[in-house]
Amino acid sequence: TQLLEQSPQFLSIQEGENLTVYCNSSSVFSSLQWYRQEPGEGPVLLVTVVTGGEVKKLKRLTFQFGDARKDSSLHITAAQPGDTGLYLCAAAVTNDYKLSFGAGTTVTVRA
Amino acid sequence: DAGITQSPRHKVTETGTPVTLRCHQTENHRYMYWYRQDPGHGLRLIHYSYGVKDTDKGEVSDGYSVSRSKTEDFLLTLESATSSQTSVYFCAINQQGVGEKLFFGSGTQLSVL
């Protein structure tokens, strides 16, 4: 059983459309991270959220941490082909010290 | 980019043979991790190290061992490779442990035939 459930598993959209990726769990997290991975490379950190209800913006990407610190979302506005990749959420449960990853959402933005 | 080098980048081996993957860092970070990535499972932690000769198991450690004799090197060994260990292996590092940003290497694609 995956600690972090990501949805959808795959997402294919046209350039200029918006998309949202979700990361959910029944556990409470001390912090949550979002990574983006391109083929043949390791994941690269996009953002870390720490406070319940926190919203962070990174250009066209908006990250939200749930009030109860059990879930998060990533919203991309006006997606571009360069946003194509595998998006992974990762988190540590408050009483644990190991980082767990979701299975990822593969995003394809068509030109 | 963080100075992390994984070697080899690709390897094909036969069932039952020993295999060692190497992770080398030039950042002098305290923590080093080995993950495997498989479709539908995301990244799963195999072993990690919190200092020279200090290591601990992750969630999928069976069939794997690690060693860290120097700060910069973290070795992952498959004592007797099995087909279920076919995967992409990633090394990651950070300085302060869980909750801090992870820097990943480019991965090793291992195929066990």
Side-chain angles (χ1 to χ4, degrees), chain A residues 16-56:
Chain A
E17 294 180 339
N18 301 333
L19 68 96
T20 302
V21 176
Y22 299 93
C23 178
N24 296 299
S25 178
S26 57
S27 300
V28 177
F29 303 121
S30 54
S31 65
L32 189 142
Q33 300 172 347
W34 283 95
Y35 289 81
R36 180 167 159 264
Q37 184 179 16
E38 297 189 16
E41 297 296 329
V44 175
L45 182 72
L46 294 172
V47 77
T48 300
V49 286
V50 178
T51 307
E54 182 177 5
V55 177
K56 279 193 174 180

Side-chain angles (χ1 to χ4, degrees), chain A residues 41-89:
Chain A
E41 297 296 329
V44 175
L45 182 72
L46 294 172
V47 77
T48 300
V49 286
V50 178
T51 307
E54 182 177 5
V55 177
K56 279 193 174 180
K57 292 193 175 184
L58 189 67
K59 296 184 180 178
R60 292 176 294 98
L61 279 60
T62 301
F63 304 86
Q64 188 160 6
F65 200 16
D67 291 341
R69 290 184 290 130
K70 294 182 178 181
D71 55 84
S72 181
S73 63
L74 157 60
H75 182 79
I76 301 179
T77 303
Q80 299 176 0
D83 295 324
T84 292
L86 176 66
Y87 289 82
L88 296 156
C89 63

Side-chain angles (χ1 to χ4, degrees), chain B residues 5-109:
Chain B
T5 304
Q6 290 186 234
S7 58
R9 288 296 312 272
H10 302 274
K11 185 168 182 68
V12 179
T13 192
E14 293 184 350
T15 299
T17 60
V19 176
T20 295
L21 308 183
R22 180 181 184 235
C23 178
H24 177 79
Q25 61 144 330
T26 58
E27 306 298 317
N28 201 36
H29 281 346
R30 178 183 175 191
Y31 289 83
M32 299 185 76
Y33 310 80
W34 277 108
Y35 285 89
R36 59 177 289 175
Q37 186 172 35
D38 305 287
H41 291 278
L43 286 152
R44 291 180 291 175
L45 182 64
I46 305 171
H47 282 278
Y48 69 100
S49 169
Y50 47 95
V52 174
K53 296 190 174 151
D54 291 324
T55 65
D56 202 354
K57 296 178 180 180
E59 60 182 307
V60 289
S61 60
D62 287 348
Y64 302 94
S65 63
V66 290
S67 66
R68 191 171 180 197
S69 59
K70 297 184 290 186
T71 298
E72 57 267 34
D73 290 323
F74 192 32
L75 304 181
L76 176 70
T77 297
L78 292 65
E79 301 291 347
S80 178
T82 67
S83 58
S84 64
Q85 293 175 312
T86 292
S87 186
V88 181
Y89 292 85
F90 285 98
C91 173
I93 64 173
N94 64 11
Q95 179 57 26
Q96 296 177 7
V98 71
E100 191 197 20
K101 173 180 181 178
L102 280 173
F103 297 92
F104 283 87
S106 297
T108 295
Q109 172 69 61

